[in-house]
């Protein structure tokens, strides 16, 4: 047998028995394994076996591992056969199949198992394996294996004697049981055993001992030393911990040679040895050859116990270590075997045929052994089954089967005896022998193992399983069941008692309960605020918006009353039912006959909506108000001194409500006036509806109110225009006396630009005036234009004059007439002083110039009573005075004043000025006419002298836009139409006397048209759109003023001496060229042919030139063109110029 044993021998590296127990897994394979129990009823072929699933891994085989000791091999083979062929689990040995199915392993200690390999180890010697197993538990944590169950038998290890060759002969001769420690002492007669001196030389000496044999053979057939030397670091002989414990625990007086170890301790070397390979016990040191040999293997299995037992109990032994397992086994039982003691463990197959008996020692003293004293014996080794911690879930049938197995040590020993016979027979060593041994035992003991097979339909509710059919479908009758399966999510394992006993079924969760995990023993009731509508729900759902559920375990949520919703999902009470965002709950209870909820609505009842205004439980938020969710009319504060009690309808920015009627919304003219929020909130100095009126002590300024100064409040400030007026009028009179010859001077160009700038500002203010409210960027950047549009604002009338609307409005309407009276009084006054006597025509022209300059403003003010905008509540307010509601008492009281102002300030003015322009061609040559109407025609080209009337009509057009149309879009279209007509006419006629003023007029109105294109973006604007459009509006407005500045600069440049010289030279050149060309045209036919080929526009230019020459050079009357020279005066001047030219020509020739 020696070669076969050595063929499976392994050199052992770790230093104890457990190192052997855990290191080795089966390394050979039996190839294709036949079935064992195919003829037994209930046999399950491979293709029908159930795979298992651990955690998130895929389904796969259940892998079973074992260690390299015989009892584990045969026991595991028997379990594998039953698991696979009878239980129907796809169970395979881990060394044969491996696994990637969430198995466990460890690389700690001496365990050299491949990663993710094992689901089940059916036999582990726990006492010897405790340290490495604890390492696995510590290393793997939650994924570590668990102790499944102990086995019915235990294991042992220690020093063994052989019954046939040692114990029986000695007992027969001496009457003593040599296996008992008290009978095995120094007095034992070792002649009945093989002594150390009788051992063959090659078995007892070191490799270098040349005194052994002549040929020096001291090694085994593999060339390895049979016994380890005492100074070999690969064994426990040099283990200083073992040596120190021996010195401290035993009565051996002189065991070591010692020397300092360099660390403050001692280095110990065994003193009493034989041939440097055997340790000699104190009982036989005087005659080492008489010692009884005790062999062990690896690094010294059981060495510490053997040495201390010999010292304490006076055993006459010599201990040697055979590192190679094959040599160790061969020594007591192989060829040339001797009657010696050996280390062994059982159950095991190696020495079983020799009937070994373990030496009997004193009972184990754990406390002593924990302190390093091993004079007592070792307790039996606990044998257990360990498995993956989820095996009960993954393969409950496996666990049920393992729990019913009852295999005793006698059964294991029976199989080991059979295994030994197979190894000595034809099967030899290897897994084939082990499998056949297990299979034969199962066939011979069918009655035994059939009692281990559980009823697989007896499911355990505690494990979360229920009955399933052969195809894995859930069943509820044992007659349909094949086995048990884990209950899926949405079900729970419910106990069931029938005529065959207790089992369980997978029952669906009832509505109101859910279970999102499988293998559960109950369903979880839905919490309050959740529901599970259907049976078998995996989870509970939060109550949807508009529903609530106060009780747990309900299949549905209760709906809020119609119109209500909830603050969020998962509401648990009807108190969570509120009005949704965009609505609010009225104080009068819709469901209680509209009774006032007096417990929460504590303000005056008139503040709250009436029954007729309440169509539902939740009312749509009024326009221009914001109602966040759960808004309630009861939250509105009763006054500024009372805080809000909860969310309520909040008025938006640029809007206003009162405490008396907090849901009646008015739109303000600017955000600065109304910030929104609480009722009655206005900007500084503002009060009244839509914050449209100024508080006492404040005056209106740019859409807001400013505080009056002491000067403003003085009556002298209001009288200042009356005092200063005559002086201003006198200055205007002096300016208005210039004759027609000076109308083309530079100052008139400046006057034209100034006039256009004023008109431009008034136009912008009129355009802005059509908006119900003005964005802050526009009001801040262009608010000053209201000063150019309403000169009455400079008087701060509210500070020293009338403070009520009627008084202020009447004052403003009468201002043009009061100015007329001031002019008239000034004229009368001049009559009393001959030196300053004023020409009435000039003075009338000066007054007309004032009216013309501010006509856009005058017209707009005259129509202001009718220029209204709509509020969100349907009311209409004046744009200039939002506190005045159209159709109200105050508004109605001013109708007569407004009509009179329109008649006098607009209709009469336009009629009178229009008449003047109509008769101008007939009377312009008269000085009185030119002085009276100079203000209308001084800046215009004579052929377009009537253009100022177009400008005034444009002002009237702007004023009536807000009167004729109520909607912003119609007003915009009306304004755009008028501006386009004006722009087209200005570009076509080029009416201004100064070409730069013509260009400026076209440019300014082009900018105004562009402004109008931006207006739709400001009609209903978001904050972002408002900001962008306002910036564009502001930028385009500035472009007009930049163009005006450029025009002024050009006129100033043209007034310089150099520019005048260049102009004069250019005029002389043009005149010379005209003189040269005109004499060449002797026949009308020549000119007629040329005109026929000219483009239309060139013909028109030539025609204009003819009219110009006829009027200005020859002083002949021309249709629709003003002529300031008397008829014929031009001819006489021409003849005089001709004579001068002839004299000039003669002088030039003479020169």
């Amino acid at each position: 047998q020696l070669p076969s044993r050595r063929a499976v021998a392994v050199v052992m590296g770790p230093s104890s028995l457990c190192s052997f127990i855990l290191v080795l897994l089966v390394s050979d394979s039996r190839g294709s394994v036949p079935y064992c129990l195919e003829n037994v009823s209930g046999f399950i072929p491979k293709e029908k076996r159930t795979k298992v699933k651990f955690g998130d891994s895929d389904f796969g085989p259940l892998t079973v591992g074992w260690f390299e000791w015989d009892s584990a091999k045969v026991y595991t083979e028997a379990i594998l056969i039953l698991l696979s062929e009878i239980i129907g689990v796809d169970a395979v040995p881990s060394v044969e199949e491996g696994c990637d199915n969430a198995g466990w392993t460890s690389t700690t200690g001496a365990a050299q198992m491949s990663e993710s390999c094992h689901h089940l180890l059916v036999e582990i010697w726990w006492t010897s394996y405790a340290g490495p197993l604890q390492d696995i538990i510590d290393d793997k944590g939650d994924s570590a294996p668990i102790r499944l169950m102990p086995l019915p038998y235990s294991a042992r290890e220690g020093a063994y004697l052989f019954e046939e060759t040692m114990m029986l002969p000695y007992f027969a001769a001496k009457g003593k049981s040599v296996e008992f420690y008290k009978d095995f002492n120094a007095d034992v007669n070792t002649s009945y055993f093989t002594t150390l001196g009788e051992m063959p030389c090659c078995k007892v000496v070191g490799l270098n001992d040349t005194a052994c044999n002549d040929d020096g053979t001291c090694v085994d057939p593999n060339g390895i030393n049979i016994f380890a030397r005492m100074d070999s670091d690969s064994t426990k002989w040099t283990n200083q911990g073992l040596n120190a414990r021996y010195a401290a625990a035993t009565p051996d007086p002189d065991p070591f040679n010692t020397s300092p170890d360099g660390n403050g301790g001692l280095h110990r070397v065994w003193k009493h040895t034989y041939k440097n390979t055997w340790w000699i016990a104190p009982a036989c040191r005087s005659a080492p050859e008489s010692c009884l040999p005790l062999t062990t293997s690896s690094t010294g299995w059981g060495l510490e116990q053997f040495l201390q037992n010999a010292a304490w109990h006076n055993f006459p032994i010599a201990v040697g270590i055979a590192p190679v397992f094959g040599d160790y086994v061969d020594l007591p039982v192989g060829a040339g075997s001797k009657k010696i003691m050996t280390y062994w463990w059982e159950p095991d197959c190696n020495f079983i045929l020799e009937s070994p008996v373990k030496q009997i020692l004193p009972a184990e003293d754990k406390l002593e052994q924990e302190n390093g004293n091993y004079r007592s014996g070792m307790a039996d080794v606990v044998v257990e089954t360990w498995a993956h911690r989820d095996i009960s879930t993954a393969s409950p049938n496996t666990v049920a089967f393992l729990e019913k197995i009852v295999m005793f040590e006698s059964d294991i020993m029976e199989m080991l005896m059979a295994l030994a016979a197979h190894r000595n027979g034809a099967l030899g060593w290897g897994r084939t022998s082990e499998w056949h041994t297990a299979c034969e035992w199962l066939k011979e003991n069918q009655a035994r193992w059939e009692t281990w097979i559980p009823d697989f339909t007896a499911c355990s509710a505690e494990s979360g399983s229920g009955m399933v059919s052969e195809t894995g479908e859930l069943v509820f009758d044992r007659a349909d069941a094949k086995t048990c399966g884990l209950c899926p999510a949405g079900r729970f394992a419910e106990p069931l008692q029938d005529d065959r006993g207790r089992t369980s079924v997978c029952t669906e969760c009832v509505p109101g309960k859910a279970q999102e995990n499988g293998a559960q023993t109950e369903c979880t009731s839905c919490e309050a605020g959740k529901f599970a509508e259907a049976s078998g729900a995996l989870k509970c759902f939060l109550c949807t918006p508009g529903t609530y559920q106060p009780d747990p375990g309900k299949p549905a949520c209760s709906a809020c009353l119609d119109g209500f919703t909830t603050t969020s999902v998962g509401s648990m009470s009807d108190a969570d039912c509120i009005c949704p965002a965009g609505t609010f709950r009225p104080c009068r209870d819709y469901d209680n006959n509209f009774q006032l909820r007096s417990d929460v609505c504590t303000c005056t009842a008139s503040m709250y909506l009436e029954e007729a205004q309440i169509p539902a439980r939740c009312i749509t938020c009024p326009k221009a108000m914001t109602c966040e969710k759960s808004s309630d009319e009861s939250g509105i504060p009763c006054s500024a001194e009372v805080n809000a009690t909860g969310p309520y309808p909040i008025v938006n920015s640029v809007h206003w409500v009162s405490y008396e009627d907090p849901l009646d919304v008015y739109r303000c003219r600017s955000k600065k006036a109304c910030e929104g929020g609480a009722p009655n909130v206005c900007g500084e100095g503002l009060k009244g509806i839509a914050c449209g009126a100024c508080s006492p002590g404040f005056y209106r300024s740019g859409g807001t109110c400013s505080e009056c100064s002491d000067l403003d409040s003085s009556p002298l400030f209001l009288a200042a225009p009356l005092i200063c007026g005559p002086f201003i009028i006198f200055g205007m009179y002096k300016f208005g006396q210039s004759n027609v010859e000076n109308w083309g001077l530079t100052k008139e160009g400046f006057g034209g630009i100034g006039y256009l700038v004023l008109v431009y500002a008034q136009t912008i203010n009129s355009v802005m005036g059509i908006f119900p409210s003005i964005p802050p960027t526009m009001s801040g950047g262009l608010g000053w234009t209201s000063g150019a549009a309403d000169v009455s604002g400079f008087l701060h009338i509210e500070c020293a004059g009338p403070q009520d609307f009627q008084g202020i409005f009447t004052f403003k309407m009468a201002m043009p007439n009061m100015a007329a009276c001031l002019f008239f009084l000034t004229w009368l006054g001049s009559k009393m002083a001959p030196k300053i006597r004023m020409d009435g025509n000039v003075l009338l022209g000066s007054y007309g110039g004032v009216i013309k300059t501010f006509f856009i403003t005058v017209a707009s003010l005259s129509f202001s009573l009718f220029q209204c905008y709509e509020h969100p509540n349907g009311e209409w307010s004046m744009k200039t005075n939002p506190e005045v509601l159209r159709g109200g008492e105050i508004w109605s009281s001013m109708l007569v004043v407004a009509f009179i102002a329109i008649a006098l300030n607009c209709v009469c003015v336009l009629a009178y000025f229009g008449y003047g322009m109509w008769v101008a061609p007939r009377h312009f040559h008269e000085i009185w006419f030119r002085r009276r109407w100079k203000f209308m025609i001084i800046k215009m080209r004579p052929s377009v002298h009537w253009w100022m009337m177009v400008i005034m009509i444009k002002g009237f057009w702007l004023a009536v836009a807000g009167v004729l149309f109520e909607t912003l879009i119609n007003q915009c279209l009306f304004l755009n139409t008028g501006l386009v007509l004006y722009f087209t006419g200005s570009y076509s006629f080029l009416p201004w006397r100064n070409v730069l003023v013509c260009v400026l007029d076209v440019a300014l109105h082009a900018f105004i048209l562009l402004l109008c294109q931006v207006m739709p973006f400001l009609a209903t604007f978001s904050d972002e759109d408002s900001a962008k459009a306002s910036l564009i509006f502001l930028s385009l407005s500035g472009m007009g003023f930049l163009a005006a500045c450029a025009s002024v600069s050009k006129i100033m440049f043209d007034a310089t001496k150099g520019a005048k010289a260049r102009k004069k030279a250019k005029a002389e050149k043009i005149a010379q060229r005209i003189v040269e060309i005109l004499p060449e045209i002797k026949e009308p036919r020549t000119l007629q042919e040329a005109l026929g080929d000219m483009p239309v526009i060139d013909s028109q230019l030539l025609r204009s030139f003819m009219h110009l020459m006829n009027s200005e050079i020859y002083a002949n009357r021309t249709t629709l063109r003003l002529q300031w020279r008397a008829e014929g005066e031009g001819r006489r001047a021409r003849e005089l110029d001709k004579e001068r030219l002839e004299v000039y020509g003669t002088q030039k020739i003479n020169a």
Side-chain angles (χ1 to χ4, degrees):
Q1 301 299 317
L2 184 59
S4 62
R5 291 177 187 270
R6 284 182 176 153
V8 297
V10 178
V11 177
M12 311 305 289
S15 58
S16 68
L17 169 64
C18 69
S19 65
F20 169 71
I21 295 176
L22 8 130
V23 168
L24 299 177
L25 293 171
V26 174
S27 58
D28 59 334
S29 174
R30 56 188 168 89
S32 177
V33 179
Y35 293 133
C36 174
L37 304 175
E38 65 272 21
N39 296 323
V40 174
S41 175
F43 168 78
I44 300 174
K46 184 175 179 62
E47 62 273 11
K48 292 187 177 181
R49 295 170 191 171
T50 304
K51 296 186 180 297
V52 295
K53 176 181 173 61
F54 290 88
D56 296 331
S57 66
D58 296 330
F59 283 93
L62 178 74
T63 56
V64 183
W66 64 76
F67 296 99
E68 186 67 12
W69 55 81
D70 294 333
S71 61
K73 293 177 182 179
V74 294
Y75 181 69
T76 303
E77 289 287 8
I79 298 304
L80 273 171
I81 292 171
L82 291 175
L83 270 177
S84 57
E85 298 186 14
I86 301 301
I87 306 302
V89 177
D90 187 15
V92 298
S94 56
V95 295
E96 179 180 283
E97 299 290 342
C99 67
D100 55 3
N101 190 15
W104 59 272
T105 184
S106 172
T107 56
T108 61
Q112 305 296 324
M113 295 176 283
S114 60
E115 279 290 334
S116 302
C117 192
H118 309 291
H119 297 133
L120 180 65
L121 288 173
V122 294
E123 191 197 75
I124 292 179
W125 292 16
W126 168 246
T127 305
S128 299
Y129 199 31
L133 271 178
Q134 190 60 51
D135 289 342
I136 294 173
I137 294 171
D138 295 341
D139 180 52
K140 297 298 181 181
D142 292 341
S143 62
I146 58 172
R147 180 188 293 108
L148 194 61
M149 64 195 70
L151 297 183
Y153 62 89
S154 59
R156 292 164 297 285
E157 60 177 321
Y160 279 76
L161 298 90
F162 296 100
E163 185 178 27
E164 294 294 334
T165 58
M166 301 174 67
M167 294 169 54
L168 293 179
Y170 193 84
F171 184 80
K174 300 295 183 178
K176 291 184 177 182
S177 299
V178 72
E179 73 275 15
F180 188 57
Y181 75 98
K182 289 186 176 181
D183 290 341
F184 188 71
N185 51 39
D187 296 331
V188 69
N189 187 342
T190 58
S191 62
Y192 287 89
F193 312 107
T194 299
T195 62
L196 186 61
E198 296 172 339
M199 292 289 288
C201 179
C202 67
K203 298 290 186 181
V204 297
V205 298
L207 179 64
N208 297 322
D209 191 343
T210 57
C212 181
N213 289 324
D214 292 339
D215 59 4
T217 54
C218 300
V219 297
D220 67 9
N222 293 316
I224 302 174
N225 268 2
I226 295 178
F227 285 99
R229 294 174 59 88
M230 298 293 289
D231 55 3
S232 172
D233 291 335
S234 63
T235 65
K236 293 182 180 179
W237 287 127
T238 57
N239 186 307
Q240 293 301 307
L242 182 152
N243 296 352
R245 290 191 293 274
Y246 180 90
T250 67
D252 192 343
D254 186 26
F256 299 106
N257 293 320
T258 60
S259 61
D261 62 2
N263 296 317
L266 295 176
H267 181 76
R268 296 177 176 85
V269 178
W270 293 104
K271 186 174 184 179
H272 304 286
T273 65
Y274 183 76
K275 300 295 186 180
N276 199 29
T277 54
W278 295 87
W279 174 84
I280 306 302
C284 59
R285 284 177 184 167
S286 59
E289 291 82 356
S290 65
C291 294
L292 176 62
L294 190 160
T295 60
T296 184
S297 187
S298 184
T299 60
W301 298 330
L303 183 65
E304 189 164 13
Q305 290 85 350
F306 297 159
L307 301 183
Q308 289 200 28
N309 287 338
W312 277 108
H313 303 301
N314 208 23
F315 293 162
I317 63 174
V319 182
I321 301 174
V324 177
F325 188 68
D327 294 337
Y328 153 74
V329 173
D330 183 56
L331 283 170
V333 298
S337 60
K338 304 301 176 184
K339 294 179 287 185
I340 62 175
M341 296 177 68
T342 187
Y343 168 84
W344 195 47
W345 65 93
E346 56 180 339
D348 182 69
C349 186
N350 283 297
F351 301 126
I352 194 170
L353 297 178
E354 284 71 22
S355 303
V357 177
K358 182 182 177 183
Q359 187 180 35
I360 301 172
L361 294 170
E364 179 186 37
D365 189 327
K366 287 187 176 182
L367 182 61
E368 280 189 349
Q369 292 183 5
E370 289 175 358
N371 292 320
N373 187 325
Y374 291 96
R375 67 178 175 177
S376 60
M378 302 295 290
D380 288 354
V381 178
V382 177
V383 182
E384 296 176 330
T385 295
W386 280 61
H388 192 288
R389 64 176 50 251
D390 295 331
I391 194 168
S392 295
T393 302
S395 184
N397 289 354
T398 297
V399 176
F401 164 64
L402 293 174
E403 287 175 343
K404 297 197 69 174
I405 294 176
V406 181
M407 185 175 285
F408 300 109
E409 184 175 350
S410 59
D411 300 316
I412 296 296
M413 296 303 291
E414 180 182 345
M415 283 193 284
L416 291 177
M417 291 289 290
L419 176 62
H422 282 309
R423 287 177 175 173
N424 289 327
L427 294 178
W429 286 71
R431 189 181 164 196
T432 302
S433 295
E434 296 143 13
W435 183 85
H436 278 284
T437 298
C439 181
E440 289 171 356
W441 189 91
L442 290 173
K443 289 179 177 180
E444 294 169 1
N445 294 273
Q446 181 175 346
R448 283 277 309 281
W449 60 256
E450 281 182 342
T451 63
W452 304 345
I453 307 303
D455 180 358
F456 291 122
T457 62
C459 305
S460 169
E462 290 77 12
S463 65
S465 60
M467 293 186 294
V468 296
S469 66
E470 186 173 1
T471 60
E473 296 179 357
L474 297 176
V475 295
F476 302 90
D477 190 311
R478 205 188 290 256
D480 302 322
K482 178 65 176 178
T483 183
C484 299
L486 296 177
C487 295
R491 293 176 179 265
F492 72 101
E494 183 179 21
L496 176 68
Q497 184 75 33
D498 60 11
D499 55 355
R500 290 175 56 182
R502 186 179 177 85
T503 184
S504 59
V505 293
C506 295
T507 303
E508 279 189 324
C509 297
V510 299
K513 294 186 177 183
Q515 183 52 259
E516 60 181 345
N517 299 314
Q520 300 300 309
T521 58
E522 63 180 4
C523 293
T524 303
S525 294
C526 296
E527 301 171 351
K530 294 184 177 182
F531 72 100
E533 184 176 15
S535 299
L538 302 184
K539 64 177 183 179
C540 298
F541 297 92
L542 293 169
C543 291
T544 57
T547 64
Y548 65 94
Q549 180 50 257
D551 302 318
K554 296 297 181 180
C557 296
S558 301
C560 294
L561 294 175
D562 186 37
F564 285 156
T565 187
T566 51
T567 54
S568 62
V569 296
S571 294
M572 294 182 286
S573 169
D574 60 353
D576 295 332
C577 293
I578 57 170
C579 288
T583 65
F584 70 96
R585 185 180 182 185
C587 270
R588 300 187 186 277
D589 194 344
Y590 182 85
D591 297 303
N592 189 23
N593 200 27
F594 299 99
Q595 294 297 311
L596 192 68
R597 295 182 289 132
S598 56
D599 55 332
V600 292
C601 301
T602 57
C603 300
T604 305
S606 60
M607 280 184 58
Y608 305 123
L609 296 178
E610 296 297 332
E611 176 180 344
Q613 299 172 291
I614 304 174
R617 296 181 181 87
C618 294
I619 302 176
T620 302
C621 200
K623 290 181 180 179
M625 299 193 83
T626 298
C627 297
E628 61 179 85
K629 58 185 179 182
S630 76
S631 290
D632 196 311
E633 193 179 14
S634 65
I636 300 175
C638 303
S639 65
E641 291 75 26
V642 179
N643 293 325
T645 58
Y648 66 93
I650 299 293
V651 66
N652 295 343
S653 175
V654 200
H655 292 82
W656 176 90
V657 295
S658 66
Y659 281 109
E660 292 74 19
D661 200 349
L663 299 176
D664 197 24
V665 184
Y666 293 88
R667 185 183 183 98
C668 304
R669 290 286 283 160
S670 69
K671 185 176 181 180
K672 191 173 182 180
C674 303
E675 290 289 343
N680 268 17
V681 175
C682 292
E684 183 182 7
L686 294 166
K687 67 174 185 175
I689 293 176
C691 301
C694 290
S695 301
F698 287 82
Y699 64 91
R700 191 175 299 278
S701 174
T704 60
C705 294
S706 302
E707 189 172 4
C708 297
S709 65
D710 293 338
L711 178 62
D712 297 331
S713 302
S714 172
L716 291 176
F717 183 77
L718 193 60
L722 298 176
I723 298 171
C724 300
F727 298 98
I728 297 173
I729 292 171
F730 184 78
M732 295 171 61
Y733 174 81
K734 296 299 289 184
F735 179 77
Q737 288 182 311
S738 61
N739 205 353
V740 68
E741 294 90 345
N742 299 320
W743 286 8
L745 297 177
T746 300
K747 64 178 182 178
E748 298 302 338
F750 287 138
I753 292 174
Y755 174 73
L756 279 181
V757 169
L758 277 174
V759 170
Y760 181 62
Q762 293 176 76
T763 304
I764 289 176
N765 187 263
S766 296
V767 170
M768 290 171 58
I770 72 170
F771 293 107
S773 59
I774 303 171
T777 306
M778 287 174 59
S779 61
L782 296 172
W784 60 270
T785 59
S786 62
D790 184 8
V791 292
S792 65
F794 294 106
L795 300 178
H796 302 174
I797 301 170
E798 300 92 331
C799 296
Q803 295 184 353
D804 61 310
F805 167 74
Q806 292 96 325
I808 296 172
F809 182 78
T810 303
F811 183 88
K812 288 184 177 182
M813 295 300 103
M815 279 186 66
N817 310 105
M818 290 191 295
C821 293
L822 186 59
F823 270 85
F824 178 72
L825 292 174
T826 302
W827 177 73
L828 285 180
S830 70
K831 295 290 186 180
M832 301 176 184
K835 289 185 179 181
I836 60 171
R837 185 180 298 233
M838 296 181 178
D839 184 341
N841 291 307
V842 175
L843 199 60
L844 190 58
S846 298
Y847 175 72
V850 173
I851 297 299
K852 172 208 69 174
T853 300
F854 295 101
F855 182 76
I856 295 177
T857 297
V858 171
S860 181
L861 286 173
S862 299
F863 284 99
S864 62
L865 190 70
F866 306 101
Q867 293 172 345
C868 300
Y869 70 97
E870 188 178 13
H871 294 291
N873 60 7
E875 297 277 6
W876 289 77
S877 276
M878 289 178 59
K879 291 180 179 177
T880 56
N881 295 84
E883 77 278 12
V884 178
L885 298 178
R886 188 174 72 181
E889 182 179 353
I890 295 176
W891 184 87
S892 299
S893 67
M894 290 291 102
L895 285 174
V896 174
V897 175
F899 284 129
I900 293 173
I902 293 171
L904 292 177
N905 300 338
C906 298
V907 178
C908 291
V909 167
L910 288 176
Y912 179 66
F913 286 8
Y915 170 76
M917 294 302 97
W918 176 261
V919 301
R922 297 198 300 271
H923 298 285
F924 186 71
H925 64 283
E926 301 175 26
I927 294 177
W928 69 269
F929 186 89
R930 292 201 299 269
R931 288 182 175 180
R932 178 179 295 184
W933 295 100
K934 171 188 171 183
F935 71 93
M936 290 291 284
I937 57 182
I938 186 174
K939 297 176 178 62
M940 303 300 163
R941 289 195 297 117
S943 59
V944 201
H945 64 276
W946 41 266
W947 189 256
M948 191 60 70
M949 277 303 300
V950 175
I951 296 176
M952 296 181 69
I953 292 172
K954 182 195 75 173
F956 186 84
W957 186 286
L958 294 174
V960 300
V963 178
L964 298 178
F965 304 100
E966 291 184 343
T967 61
L968 186 60
I969 186 65
N970 289 336
Q971 293 174 7
C972 289
L973 289 173
F974 185 77
L975 284 179
N976 274 294
T977 301
L979 292 171
V980 168
L981 290 174
Y982 180 88
F983 175 83
T984 304
S986 180
Y987 182 78
S988 301
F989 290 102
L990 299 176
W992 300 89
R993 187 178 292 271
N994 190 300
V995 66
L996 284 175
V997 179
C998 287
V999 174
L1000 180 62
D1001 189 23
V1002 172
L1004 292 178
H1005 283 82
F1007 294 139
I1008 293 174
L1009 282 172
L1010 289 174
L1011 297 181
C1012 292
Q1013 307 312 308
V1014 181
M1015 289 170 62
F1017 296 98
L1018 299 170
T1020 53
F1021 49 84
S1022 65
D1023 290 342
E1024 184 178 358
D1025 290 339
S1026 169
K1028 290 180 180 179
S1030 298
L1031 286 175
I1032 295 172
F1033 197 100
L1034 196 60
S1035 301
L1036 292 174
S1037 302
M1039 296 285 288
F1041 295 107
L1042 288 176
C1045 292
S1047 299
V1048 169
S1049 301
K1050 184 64 169 66
I1051 290 177
M1052 293 177 65
F1053 176 76
D1054 290 343
T1056 61
K1057 289 183 179 181
K1060 288 181 177 179
R1062 286 190 293 274
K1063 181 179 180 181
K1064 183 178 180 181
K1066 187 175 182 180
E1068 289 179 354
K1069 187 176 181 180
I1070 293 173
Q1072 181 65 33
R1073 185 60 179 161
I1074 292 173
V1075 170
E1076 291 174 357
I1077 293 174
L1078 290 180
E1080 297 296 327
I1081 305 175
K1082 301 199 180 282
E1083 294 292 335
R1085 187 178 186 85
T1086 303
L1087 188 57
Q1088 180 181 352
E1089 293 176 354
L1091 289 172
D1093 296 332
M1094 283 185 183
V1096 175
I1097 190 169
D1098 290 344
S1099 298
Q1100 292 291 340
L1101 290 174
L1102 185 56
R1103 183 177 179 184
S1104 298
F1105 172 73
M1106 291 169 57
H1107 283 295
L1108 179 65
M1109 294 292 290
N1110 191 39
S1111 176
E1112 298 297 330
I1113 303 302
Y1114 299 103
N1116 294 325
R1117 189 177 304 280
T1118 304
T1119 305
L1120 299 179
R1121 181 176 176 86
L1122 298 181
Q1123 182 178 319
W1124 61 277
R1125 291 180 181 179
E1127 190 172 0
E1129 184 179 341
R1131 185 179 295 107
R1132 292 191 297 270
R1134 177 177 58 81
E1135 292 174 352
L1136 181 60
D1137 289 342
K1138 183 177 181 182
E1139 293 174 359
R1140 291 175 180 173
L1141 185 58
E1142 290 175 352
V1143 172
Y1144 172 74
T1146 302
Q1147 291 174 351
K1148 187 175 182 181
I1149 293 171
N1150 292 337

